[in-house]
Amino acid sequence: MEQVTWTIEDLNDLKELLASEEICTRSAWAKTILVQVYTARNEAVWLQAAAQEIQKALPAAVVVGATTVGEIANGCSLSGGTVVGFSFFRSSQVNFIALSCKSGQEQNVGRCLTSKIEALGVTVKGLLLLATPLSINVHALLQGLAESSPTFPVFGAGAADYASMKTSLVSCGSTSFSRGVVAVVFSGPELHVDPIVSLGWKPLSKEMTITDTDGMLVKTIDGKPAFEVYQYYLGISNDDTFSLSALEFPFLLHRNEDYLARIPISVEEYGAIRFVADINIGEKVRLGYGNPEMIIGESKRIKNYMHSFAPDAIFLYSCGCRRFLLQEEVELETLPFEEIAPTIGFYTYGEFYGTDNNLLLLNAALVVVGLREGPSRHKNRLAESAEASSDPTDPYAYKHIKIITRLLHFIETVTEELEHSNRELALLSVTDKLTQLYNRLKLDQILTREVSRANRYGSKLSIVLCDIDYFKSVNDVHGHQVGDEVLVAFANVLKDNLRDSDILGRWGGEEFLIILPENSIIEAKMLVEKLRWTISNHLFPVVGHMTCSFGITTHHLEDTESSILGRADEALYKAKQSGRNRVGVKPPVTVSEW
């Protein structure tokens, strides 16, 4: 396999290229030719004209294309141009599938794509996808494709439109789509395809929760309009510049052990934000920002990996936000791959990567794909260019990358310190300082939640108030320090004899509250009798044996926190009046209930 990549400005440049010895010589021996056309010109007629010229000269070639937010040719990043990459295969086969897609039909289109691939009857080695994420739900399309659990690698990217965020195009032959997908199926016994992905974005903000969505639209975060996150933390305005201003600050989230980024493209009604990839209700997100040092480091790691793979060609699909972030130094990420093999690619609105049933729609990522025919053959291409690409000795080189990296480290450290302090404060706010059990504030919150749940679903709920008998005499005789030791020991006895689902806290003084979700009054009484016996047989520090009185009640329909607590308090009072070291129940439990 051999790869040739050129940049062109017009059809005359393309005709000259097609007539060149470089193309003619290779086309003579090639079994299959794949031509990729990636262009800044968001015009169907341009893609069509280019494809027609290519097919005149190379009638059997498979020609695919996409509009971009930047082009990559021979490791260099370009703007406003068109790149054409020719992949000449000696023994492998390339087939194409092109499908238009209506809104809401994306998953079915993914399934249809699977059927068409299977109908080819070939052993697939890799699948290149080009799609239009501005107009279709690519996540749903990938879900449909993933249902068949493909055993081959899937990779590719979403077509872009130079940040206007309106319409992008993909093409196959002389046909282009503003709503659709183009697939290139690679097969052949000698063909090896190996994709790898890099992110390099790190979290900046506190963790937030997605609370309302509608498809690709995130309506609220932590119950507030989603736009307020960008307005509050970054000072970004809701105007025509929003997408460009927010491009470098995607949301970061964890999903199925993968770290994903999600880039916003527009603000819509009521402060909702539209993204080019999916985010689900309940997912935890943070604002992120690219770490240039990490991105360059990851590029070196992948370069070493690709060097070991020894590809004949490398395809690069990089999110447009990486270019915005790295600016003039963006080629520090892409150019090293040219040292290994000829490269072609483009800057995207979303990257595709995965295998089996885990096909990911990525943002802010770089997908690097190595292709090779035959066994691994380490070449001199890397060694020959090593001297030319050696690290610069100029101390001022890449200074802004170093500054940004230090600032990011500072922000990350400060954020971690603040989050640690907030976690400690949150814990202190709900914890009794002496016993380390829940305090009354937290118990009130839990009881409110459980009573509401029992009222709504008719579920079982019992509560228990317990009070240490004659505790005042402990303080009077032995002092408050011993009294505190007794309270801590008492709390530990309760905690050690309750189940994980039971909720325990200090209600006040020597009084404790136990909340028992999904427990009837009979189940609660059995548990409490065990607690009473355990406490009465425990040796407490200094004072020896002590006892406790308990009051139990169960939830009634339309109960409030006040009414259920009132009954538990009455039951506790009854136990005290009956001689202490007793269990009071309200309403009483009859023999027949046992």
Side-chain angles (χ1 to χ4, degrees):
M1 175 187 178
E2 293 187 16
Q3 174 78 26
V4 175
T5 305
W6 284 73
T7 61
I8 62 171
E9 293 185 4
D10 53 33
L11 291 180
N12 288 330
D13 286 349
L14 181 57
K15 290 176 183 178
E16 184 179 339
L17 170 62
L18 291 167
S20 69
E21 184 179 353
E22 195 170 16
I23 299 299
C24 293
T25 301
R26 289 174 173 84
S27 64
W29 54 255
K31 176 183 178 180
T32 308
I33 304 172
L34 169 67
V35 184
Q36 298 175 76
V37 180
Y38 299 132
T39 181
R41 294 172 63 173
N42 200 353
E43 305 164 5
V45 291
W46 167 240
L47 284 168
Q48 181 181 23
Q52 287 174 343
E53 286 298 330
I54 294 166
Q55 288 177 324
K56 281 181 190 175
L58 306 169
V62 172
V63 185
V64 298
T67 54
T68 74
V69 68
E71 304 77 50
I72 302 171
N74 303 314
C76 298
S77 295
L78 309 172
S79 293
T82 299
V83 299
V84 185
F86 297 81
S87 302
F88 298 92
F89 296 91
R90 295 180 183 276
S91 60
S92 304
Q93 184 66 36
V94 176
N95 297 93
F96 71 89
I97 301 166
L99 298 170
S100 61
C101 182
K102 294 180 180 178
S103 180
Q105 293 298 311
E106 291 89 347
Q107 198 160 0
N108 287 334
V109 169
R111 294 172 183 139
C112 180
L113 184 56
T114 297
S115 298
K116 289 184 176 293
I117 293 170
E118 291 173 349
L120 292 174
V122 297
T123 301
V124 181
K125 294 297 185 71
L127 180 68
L128 165 62
L129 295 180
L130 302 172
T132 56
L134 292 178
S135 58
I136 66 172
N137 183 340
V138 177
H139 170 69
L141 188 149
L142 291 174
Q143 280 185 315
L145 179 61
E147 288 176 4
S148 63
S149 297
T151 57
F152 47 82
V154 177
F155 52 88
D161 66 352
Y162 268 77
S164 65
M165 300 290 179
K166 293 178 181 177
T167 304
S168 60
L169 301 171
V170 294
S171 65
C172 185
S174 58
T175 303
S176 62
F177 302 94
S178 60
R179 306 177 64 91
V181 59
V182 170
V184 178
V185 182
F186 297 91
S187 60
E190 296 293 312
L191 184 62
H192 303 270
V193 181
D194 197 354
I196 189 169
V197 68
S198 170
L199 185 59
W201 254 245
K202 300 199 75 176
L204 284 178
S205 71
K206 69 172 186 177
E207 188 176 76
M208 299 167 283
T209 303
I210 303 296
T211 47
D212 191 16
T213 65
D214 181 9
M216 301 292 191
L217 201 65
V218 173
K219 293 183 175 180
T220 62
I221 300 170
D222 288 338
K224 299 177 182 178
F227 170 69
E228 290 186 10
V229 172
Y230 283 90
Q231 186 179 46
Y232 177 76
Y233 285 106
L234 301 172
I236 294 176
S237 301
N238 181 8
D239 55 26
D240 292 342
T241 67
F242 172 79
S243 61
L244 285 176
S245 301
L247 187 63
E248 297 166 61
F249 302 94
F251 281 159
L252 299 182
L253 60 96
H254 274 110
R255 183 186 296 167
N256 300 328
E257 300 183 359
D258 294 304
Y259 207 25
L260 305 179
R262 293 292 181 255
I263 292 177
I265 58 173
S266 64
V267 183
E268 303 199 4
E269 195 174 18
Y270 305 118
I273 295 180
R274 185 166 297 281
F275 289 78
V276 293
D278 60 301
I279 305 180
N280 302 320
I281 292 176
E283 288 191 305
K284 307 293 184 181
V285 299
R286 296 171 185 260
L287 281 174
Y289 190 72
N291 184 321
E293 206 165 72
M294 183 186 295
I295 288 172
I296 302 306
E298 272 289 286
S299 178
K300 290 177 180 177
R301 180 185 68 82
I302 295 175
K303 172 188 170 184
N304 291 335
Y305 178 85
M306 280 292 159
H307 180 231
S308 299
F309 178 69
D312 297 319
I314 295 177
F315 300 162
L316 300 173
Y317 306 104
S318 181
C319 184
C321 69
R322 299 173 84 90
R323 185 175 192 183
F324 277 82
L325 173 72
L326 294 173
Q327 298 290 315
E328 291 83 2
E329 277 78 42
V330 68
E331 289 180 4
L332 288 176
E333 180 176 39
T334 58
L335 194 55
F337 294 107
E338 188 67 21
E339 299 172 4
I340 301 170
T343 58
I344 183 172
F346 68 99
Y347 291 96
T348 76
Y349 281 174
E351 304 75 52
F352 318 143
Y353 174 82
T355 188
D356 297 321
N357 61 355
N358 188 31
L359 302 185
L360 300 176
L361 170 55
L362 306 173
N363 284 159
L366 168 67
V367 174
V368 181
V369 188
L371 297 93
R372 184 189 75 235
E373 283 188 312
S376 175
R377 301 177 302 278
H378 288 284
K379 306 167 189 172
N380 294 325
R381 185 182 178 93
L382 180 65
E384 288 168 359
S385 59
E387 286 187 25
S389 62
S390 59
D391 292 334
T393 57
D394 182 358
Y396 299 102
Y398 316 124
K399 195 66 179 175
H400 96 274
I401 282 183
K402 297 172 184 176
I403 293 170
I404 290 174
T405 299
R406 301 295 174 266
L407 286 172
L408 285 172
H409 180 75
F410 171 77
I411 293 169
E412 185 180 359
T413 302
V414 171
T415 301
E416 286 178 357
E417 289 176 347
L418 288 172
E419 288 189 338
H420 179 71
S421 298
N422 286 338
R423 285 193 296 269
E424 288 185 332
L425 288 171
L427 184 61
L428 287 172
S429 71
V430 299
T431 304
D432 176 64
K433 184 177 180 181
L434 178 64
T435 63
Q436 296 300 299
L437 301 177
Y438 284 141
N439 60 18
R440 184 157 184 163
L441 173 64
K442 182 64 174 179
L443 288 170
D444 277 332
Q445 293 172 348
I446 295 172
L447 186 60
T448 298
R449 181 192 71 205
E450 292 300 328
V451 169
S452 175
R453 191 168 71 92
N455 282 331
R456 182 174 182 180
Y457 299 109
S459 51
K460 294 183 289 185
L461 172 66
S462 295
I463 69 169
V464 182
L465 277 173
C466 48
D467 185 272
I468 303 173
D469 295 330
Y470 303 111
F471 181 76
K472 183 177 183 299
S473 64
V474 175
N475 284 332
D476 292 344
V477 174
H478 301 284
H480 286 279
Q481 185 171 346
V482 172
D484 287 349
E485 291 177 12
V486 170
L487 284 171
V488 171
F490 184 82
N492 288 334
V493 172
L494 289 176
K495 184 167 57 177
D496 292 343
N497 288 275
L498 291 173
R499 302 155 300 191
D500 290 343
S501 58
D502 303 331
I503 299 153
L504 170 66
R506 187 180 179 191
W507 192 241
E510 68 271 25
E511 202 168 42
F512 295 78
L513 176 65
I514 306 171
I515 301 172
L516 303 172
E518 299 299 335
N519 276 250
S520 68
I521 199 164
I522 301 299
E523 294 165 324
K525 192 170 190 305
M526 291 173 64
L527 173 66
V528 170
E529 285 290 358
K530 175 190 169 186
L531 290 174
R532 186 189 65 78
W533 185 89
T534 302
I535 290 165
S536 64
N537 285 277
H538 185 80
L539 282 175
F540 288 88
V542 181
V543 300
H545 290 288
M546 296 197 71
T547 61
C548 180
S549 299
F550 297 84
I552 308 174
T553 191
T554 192
H555 173 264
H556 293 169
L557 193 62
E558 303 302 327
D559 249 336
T560 64
E561 299 89 83
S562 296
S563 62
I564 195 171
L565 282 169
R567 290 197 304 277
D569 199 46
E570 289 178 33
L572 177 61
Y573 179 78
K574 177 183 175 183
K576 292 284 189 182
Q577 291 298 105
S578 300
R580 293 181 170 79
N581 194 21
R582 299 283 190 276
V583 177
V585 181
K586 187 173 181 66
V589 179
T590 65
V591 174
S592 63
E593 289 178 293
W594 284 91

